[in-house]
Structures are given as structure tokens and as C-alpha cells.
Amino acid sequence: MSTQEKIKKSETPPRDLPDWLLNTGAAWTSSRGYQGCRELFSSLESQSNLNRAFPRLRLVPYFDRTYRGQVKQDQNDIPDDIQDVTKAEYHYSPISGRSIRLLHVEPGIRQDPISCHLAVHGLGELPSFDALSYTWGNTNIVKTILCDGQLLKVHMNAWSALLDLRQEAAPITMWIDAICINQADMDERSAQVQLMRDIYMKASHVAVWMRPTTADTSPVFQTLASLSHLGMTEDSTSPEAPLTSDDLGRRGLPKASDPVWKELDSLLWNQWFSRTWIIQEISLARKAMLVCGANTCPWEGVTMAADYIRSHSLTAVVNVDPSQVLRLTSLAEKFRGGAPILELAQLARASKATNPRDKIYGLLGLASDAQNVTPDYSIRPRQAYLDLAISAIKQTSSLGILNYVDHWGYFTQARDPMASWIPNWTLSGLSQPLPETARIDSGNTFVYDFVPEQILLVVQGIEVTTVKDAGDTFLEYIPSIGNSVPGHTGVNWATEGYQKKRWRQWNHMATKVRSYPTGEDVWSAYIRTLVADSLPKEKQQSTPVELKTLFDSWVKFWRIVGVKRGRFLDFYESIASPEEAKDATLFMAAHQAAAYGRRFFVTQDGYFGLGPFQTRSSDRVVALCGGKTPYVLRQCTGKKGGKEWRVIGECYIYGISKDVLNIHTTYETFSLC
């Protein structure tokens, strides 16, 4: 097919506004007046006032990840709740040592009340059992089961899972956290959490339960099985090529218009995928099985189906997004070998937990340094995060903990504020950790003091420079080839406008600098800053002309694919040469890794940098003894009237000396609040 034929077949993007008009807007958005207005409306006080004024709206930033899965409840064949006033309420007996309770569930048909028995077993003498992986859901809705002849209240999801898992003819033995752990006993909860690794490793199977069975369930599982089978039989011999609507029927798959695809997408975006605990549960499982009533699918089948959708670009055809399955699979592969708890918590930051403490405790079963963290559900979440931060500083003899600070969700701290130097693990991380190119030498001396009364961390360092101008945050949706997601029309319109403005704003800020402090070409310094100077080896030694060609390839790509959430990717492929497309996607990957969730800034002495979401004019860039990178700090007045500093986060500055701390003999003191 010729290039002209490809262009005719592809959908053509709409005509854009003239560059002169867009660049005029970029000039305004790079001005100090615009920055002042932006910081006024994005401040903690303004956001808190909005939330107080409109509490029912539950205002959150539009870029926060929204989980689209919704649980539907089929009311048929659900037994009535047990209402027997003659039976006593169940009371847990104490449990100690390395022992757990197992739930022995008696057989019954779906309409029978659930009857079971709780028994204590030592970890060294466990019978064969299955462990449940699920979400608690709405804990305000409870049902009653019979446990040892007494009434035991359980929340709706645990009860629904038991209905689906119970056998008609034979008893089963299960471990279900909400039932097998006395949730009212904080000491027991803290102790049992430390046994989670053993529990999920020793379980014969891990039953993944996401939602009650419905009339749509069987077709969804049949489609999962078909996709999995295709993945096993095709992909070993077939190249990863996009499929069309016509290809679906030839492969025995439903038509693109079949409602089963919408139901499959809903399943793959179930809130189960968003939970912190399930990472550990899937990573440690011998065998995992997705269960929904009588329908089952091995976990390997789910991942195979998701990979088939990705590799054959089916999202663009049937609008099924497999990204949550692929993310979990990637995390499980990384976590199986174990890693430090901070690294695990950072990688799992997008996952959520009903109890904020579980953002840490829910990963301990995978942590190589779990012995340094003792679960304690009796303390407040911010105390748990503080304890982890202090432990990390002591164990590493460094300020590496500051590189995990991410304050994009500033306003969420209004309920339970914590010191700025303590990572707030309740927030989904917007940005990835900066690459190795951002590192500086941590200095020859590391001394710190912790003032518990004020939660101050007193450290030493030097002030490197001051932020003069800060651009908007890189937040745009980034599609991948063949996997665009429609999204909401109104949101698309707003985000496309932001996309057109933001990168031009950054360009305009760079062009205002006449000469770069290192003496090199300004445009080359800007391009290298956009990727934190972390281009692949074959591009590292590029000349200014070659860098500009690389950047222009990306601009051409970005102007087309940034519209309609990737709708015109086919058009871009039809007009770009293979080398140009390769350069564009290479630069996009490096740019996204370094800059997504961050702001481009220019310092008073003309350096370019990438800073955290909250970076603004007059912030200071400092190098701290024991720190891994430069950091953005903001001066404030302490409770006792003294000068203190709020940590905004890690940053990258192109061209500063890696030995900036070593060339100084005296240091300033910074009280981090």
C-alpha cells in the first residue's frame, strides 16, 4: 500500500490553530503574572476551602487515576440473613505465637445459610487450604454467618465470596483475613500481618474473587479463555501485529460491538486491581485462580489474555484496556525476588489501601528488610510513616528518604497533616524516580538531628540556586501505538488544550535564556534537560543539530498523537518515516520517564531543571549532605518563629557539578519541617 493510500485510509487530525496564536498563549503562560495566578488557585488553602465549600463534590485533580470497575450484584439465589435471637454472638479466643485460624466451611447449596468452624493451627502443621484474595468493599454492609454454632457478622464481600466458593457436597478450608483475624484486636492484627508471607506461600491455591456472579459472567470467562488460548497458540509463531474488526470472527472472538467486551473491560478494571495487598498475594501464590461463581480462569490465563490484547492492539478495536493486569504482572515479577521496603512502596504507590498503614504493612511479606519495620495498628498512619522515615535514615545513613517525597496531592493532607520531609504513601505517585543522571555526590559528612516535639529534621547542606520561573506540570495522556482509549469528550477537550499549551510554554521559557551557564548551546541544554540527560547510549553523544532533529521528530509525533487520546496514531504512522518514528518514540519514552508529573524551571542564574509538581518561583534548590540529588525547598516560618524549610521534592538541574558539596568546606543548617 502506498503512502497516499495509507493517508486516505487513516483518519486525518483536525486543522490546528495557527502557531503564532498558540505561541502567543505560551508567552502569557510563561509570564510571572500567570505563575502567580496558578499558585494562588493551586495552594493548599484554596483547595481546602473548595473542599469545605463543596464537600459532596469530593474534588480531586482530574489527572488522578480513576478506577472504572463497578460491582454489580445479582439478587437471585441469595439466602436471607440469619436472624436467630437464640444464638449467642461469636467471640474470638486469643491466638499467639506463629499460629493462624483457618475457616472450615461446611457444604451447602446456594440458598443455605453459611455454616463454618474456626480452628487454630500452627504454621508448621497446616492442613491443605486455600487463601482468599479480594477487596473488603463497603464494610458498613454486613451479613451474618454461623460460626461454631454462634452468630458472626462479616462484611458483604467476604460473605459473597463464601457463597461462590462453598461446595455443595464437600467441606472446604479457607483463610480469609476479615474472618480469620480478630479485626477488633489491634495487637493480633499487627502480629498476624507479619505472617502473611507464610500464609500465601503455604496456601494450595489463592482464590481471586472480584465480584458476585451475574448473567454476564459466563460469556466474559469464555472470552478470557479464547484470548488466552490464542495467546498460547499464536504468539509463538505470529508477529505482534494489530488486528482489525474483521480479524475477530476469524479467530473465534465476539464481534467488536458485542456487549461482552464492555463487561470484560469492567472486570479488568475491577477495584481489586487497585489494592496494595493483592500485589503480595499474587506474587507469593503457588497457584492463583480467578473465581466468579462456577466460572474459573487460571491467573496465567488472565495475564495471557491481557498480553494478547496488548500485543495485537485490540484496545483500539474493542475498547478493552488491559493495563491494570499488565501492571500487576510486572510488579509481581519485580517483587518475587524481594527488595527494600522503600523501593517496593514506591513501585506500588499507585495502589490503594483502605487502611493507610497498609501502604507499608501490605508489602512487608515481599520486603528484604522487613525486620526493620514492626506493624502496629494502634498508632496513627502519620506516625507509621514517620517511624519508617527515621528507620530508613538510620539504616542507610543518608537522606534518600527525601527522594520519595511527592506532594502533588497537597490538599489531601488537610485531615492529618504530616511533616513535608516524610513521604505521604497515601498519594499515588505521579512521577517516576529521577534517573541516575540526576545524582550528585552526597558529600563527606552526614549529620542530622531529629526534633520529635516539632517533627523537625535538621540537616546540613548548601543553597545552590533559586527558581526564577516554573512552567506547568507535564500531565498529558500518553497513548501507545494501537492502544488509545476514548475517554470523556469534555475531559479530552480540556486536556488537549493543556497539551498544546504546556509544551509550548516550556519551549518559550527556554528561548528567553540568551546563553547557558556552561557555555553550550541553549537549545541543546534544553533538550537534554527534558530527558534529564538520560538518552540511550547511541544518542548520548549527539551534536546540537542531531539533538534538534531528534526533538523535532518528537514534536511532530506529539502534535498528532496528543489529540483525541491517540486517535490519529495510524495517521502519524502513515506520514512518518521508520527512522523518524523510532526517534520520536525513543525521545517520548525518555521524556516521560524523566519529566512526567514534574515542572520545567529556569533558575535565576540561567540553569534549566525539572522539579516536583509544586515547584514555583522563589523556591530554593539545595544540595544536602547525605542526599542523592538536589532538592527543591521552600522557606517558611516555624511554630516558634524561626526559619524552617518545607521539602517540595527531588529535582534535576542540567550542567551543575556533581561535586557541588565537596567543593565547600562550610555548610548551612536547614530545619526541615
Side-chain angles (χ1 to χ4, degrees):
M1 185 182 293
S2 68
T3 301
Q4 290 300 319
E5 288 174 326
K6 288 182 179 179
I7 293 176
K8 288 179 181 178
K9 185 177 180 181
S10 303
E11 194 172 0
T12 306
R15 184 182 298 275
D16 209 348
L17 293 172
D19 271 347
W20 68 265
L21 184 59
L22 292 170
N23 290 333
T24 300
W28 153 242
T29 59
S30 60
S31 69
R32 301 297 289 276
Y34 168 84
Q35 293 177 53
C37 293
R38 179 190 65 200
E39 305 314 335
L40 174 65
F41 288 104
S42 65
S43 69
L44 172 63
E45 292 76 17
S46 297
Q47 293 175 1
S48 297
N49 289 337
L50 282 171
N51 277 286
R52 281 194 293 269
F54 305 101
R56 293 185 178 181
L57 295 182
R58 302 179 67 182
L59 298 172
V60 296
Y62 75 88
F63 47 83
D64 188 18
R65 183 184 296 276
T66 301
Y67 291 93
R68 300 177 285 135
Q70 295 184 355
V71 176
K72 297 194 297 183
Q73 179 74 35
D74 189 345
Q75 298 299 325
N76 296 326
D77 299 326
I78 293 182
D80 294 330
D81 201 14
I82 300 173
Q83 303 289 340
D84 191 342
V85 296
T86 65
K87 296 187 181 296
E89 185 175 340
Y90 183 85
H91 291 283
Y92 287 90
S93 299
I95 188 173
S96 60
R98 292 179 61 78
S99 299
I100 64 172
R101 297 185 188 91
L102 289 178
L103 187 69
H104 301 270
V105 185
E106 297 176 8
I109 61 174
R110 193 168 182 84
Q111 293 83 358
D112 291 340
I114 296 172
S115 181
C116 57
H117 164 65
L118 273 175
V120 177
H121 300 268
L123 282 177
E125 50 187 23
L126 293 173
S128 176
F129 73 98
D130 292 345
L132 182 65
S133 178
Y134 71 123
T135 66
W136 280 25
N138 187 347
T139 56
N140 293 321
I141 303 176
V142 296
K143 303 288 283 185
T144 306
I145 64 174
L146 281 175
C147 184
D148 294 322
Q150 298 175 317
L151 302 179
L152 175 63
K153 292 188 180 298
V154 300
H155 56 70
M156 188 68 177
N157 276 8
W159 182 81
S160 297
L162 280 173
L163 278 184
D164 280 353
L165 295 169
R166 180 176 56 175
Q167 302 296 307
E168 291 188 9
I172 60 171
T173 302
M174 298 287 301
W175 185 87
I176 302 176
D177 60 350
I179 299 175
C180 295
I181 299 175
N182 182 2
Q183 300 296 328
D185 186 334
M186 296 301 173
D187 291 337
E188 180 178 313
R189 286 174 62 183
S190 301
Q192 290 283 294
V193 162
Q194 299 178 64
L195 305 180
M196 293 291 197
R197 177 181 179 85
D198 297 285
I199 293 170
Y200 280 92
M201 288 185 70
K202 290 177 181 293
S204 301
H205 294 86
V206 171
V208 176
W209 186 92
M210 294 186 187
R211 67 187 190 189
T213 184
T214 69
D216 306 316
T217 302
S218 292
V220 168
F221 274 71
Q222 290 167 8
T223 304
L224 265 180
S226 297
L227 290 166
S228 175
H229 178 72
L230 288 169
M232 288 187 289
T233 56
E234 278 192 14
D235 287 351
S236 59
T237 56
S238 302
E240 295 189 355
L243 299 182
T244 66
S245 298
D246 295 336
D247 294 323
L248 297 178
R250 288 193 287 267
R251 283 165 171 76
L253 295 171
K255 295 180 180 179
S257 58
D258 195 307
V260 71
W261 294 113
K262 183 177 180 180
E263 292 300 322
L264 177 59
D265 184 64
S266 176
L267 179 71
L268 299 186
W269 274 80
N270 184 276
Q271 63 175 341
W272 179 85
F273 287 100
S274 73
R275 313 312 294 175
T276 299
W277 279 107
I278 59 104
I279 300 171
Q280 176 177 263
E281 295 161 4
I282 289 296
S283 299
L284 298 175
R286 295 183 193 175
K287 294 182 179 180
M289 182 76 71
L290 178 60
V291 180
C292 196
N295 301 280
T296 62
C297 181
W299 185 250
E300 294 80 2
V302 178
T303 59
M304 185 72 73
D307 194 59
Y308 188 83
I309 294 170
R310 177 203 62 79
S311 62
H312 292 287
S313 303
L314 280 177
T315 299
V317 179
V318 297
N319 196 25
V320 174
D321 183 359
S323 58
Q324 290 301 295
V325 181
L326 298 174
R327 170 182 172 270
L328 177 57
T329 303
S330 175
L331 287 176
E333 290 174 355
K334 291 177 182 177
F335 287 6
R336 283 192 182 102
I341 186 61
L342 288 179
E343 183 179 333
L344 297 177
Q346 176 65 25
L347 289 171
R349 205 157 188 169
S351 298
K352 304 179 187 301
T354 303
N355 189 319
R357 304 166 189 83
D358 288 336
K359 292 284 284 186
I360 302 301
Y361 300 163
L363 298 168
L364 288 179
L366 300 167
S368 57
D369 54 354
Q371 69 278 4
N372 297 328
V373 181
T374 302
D376 186 352
Y377 284 94
S378 67
I379 61 177
R380 298 177 69 176
R382 66 176 180 181
Q383 183 64 47
Y385 295 169
L386 169 61
D387 292 347
L388 177 63
I390 293 296
S391 173
I393 293 172
K394 290 179 178 178
Q395 294 296 324
T396 63
S397 297
S398 76
L399 291 178
I401 191 70
L402 301 184
N403 292 81
Y404 298 99
V405 170
D406 193 348
H407 289 307
W408 70 261
Y410 225 20
F411 67 97
T412 61
Q413 293 195 24
R415 296 179 182 176
D416 193 14
M418 65 180 71
S420 67
W421 58 271
I422 304 171
N424 184 352
W425 299 106
T426 61
L427 300 179
S428 300
L430 272 183
S431 53
Q432 299 179 34
L434 284 169
E436 288 294 314
T437 51
R439 282 182 174 264
I440 61 172
D441 193 289
S442 58
N444 298 319
T445 306
F446 174 59
V447 179
Y448 77 95
D449 185 29
F450 174 56
V451 185
E453 297 81 12
Q454 300 167 263
I455 319 183
L456 288 178
L457 185 67
V458 183
V459 296
Q460 294 182 323
I462 61 167
E463 188 175 317
V464 178
T465 186
T466 301
V467 176
K468 180 182 179 183
D469 294 305
D472 290 335
T473 312
F474 179 10
L475 296 171
E476 297 92 278
Y477 175 81
I478 304 171
S480 57
I481 300 299
N483 280 323
S484 59
V485 179
H488 188 275
T489 303
V491 174
N492 287 350
W493 178 83
T495 54
E496 285 166 24
Y498 185 90
Q499 186 260 13
K500 293 175 184 178
K501 168 183 74 85
R502 197 272 311 161
W503 68 267
R504 287 180 171 86
Q505 175 205 51
W506 285 21
N507 288 1
H508 193 272
M509 290 170 59
T511 58
K512 292 195 293 185
V513 176
R514 301 302 179 190
S515 62
Y516 204 70
T518 61
E520 61 190 289
D521 176 67
V522 171
W523 203 246
S524 295
Y526 171 61
I527 294 171
R528 290 189 181 276
T529 301
L530 293 180
V531 296
D533 202 20
S534 60
L535 289 170
K537 290 182 180 180
E538 65 269 20
K539 299 291 184 180
Q540 272 296 329
Q541 304 303 318
S542 298
T543 65
V545 173
E546 290 170 335
L547 282 174
K548 186 64 166 58
T549 301
L550 187 67
F551 178 75
D552 288 343
S553 296
W554 170 76
V555 169
K556 179 178 179 179
F557 168 85
W558 194 227
R559 292 180 71 157
I560 296 173
V561 304
V563 179
K564 305 292 184 186
R565 298 173 70 85
R567 181 175 173 179
F568 305 110
L569 274 165
D570 289 340
F571 174 80
Y572 171 78
E573 288 186 295
S574 70
I575 64 171
S577 68
E579 187 63 30
E580 188 178 38
K582 180 181 177 182
D583 282 350
T585 52
L586 181 150
F587 190 88
M588 182 77 259
H591 182 38
Q592 179 182 4
Y596 190 84
R598 293 190 169 96
R599 289 179 173 179
F600 173 73
F601 65 84
V602 181
T603 68
Q604 289 184 349
D605 45 0
Y607 281 98
F608 297 152
L610 295 172
F613 181 92
Q614 290 286 333
T615 305
R616 67 188 189 198
S617 176
S618 299
D619 284 343
R620 313 298 170 83
V621 177
V622 304
L624 300 176
C625 297
K628 294 181 178 181
T629 63
Y631 302 98
V632 176
L633 303 185
R634 185 171 302 152
Q635 185 175 331
C636 57
T637 303
K639 295 178 181 178
K640 295 186 177 181
K643 182 169 70 172
E644 295 178 359
W645 298 88
R646 181 172 182 83
V647 178
I648 306 304
E650 65 177 0
C651 71
Y652 168 80
I653 297 185
Y654 179 72
I656 67 165
S657 170
K658 302 294 183 183
D659 296 320
V660 64
L661 283 168
N662 295 328
I663 59 179
H664 288 75
T665 57
T666 59
Y667 300 113
E668 302 175 49
T669 298
F670 294 88
S671 296
L672 308 182
C673 61

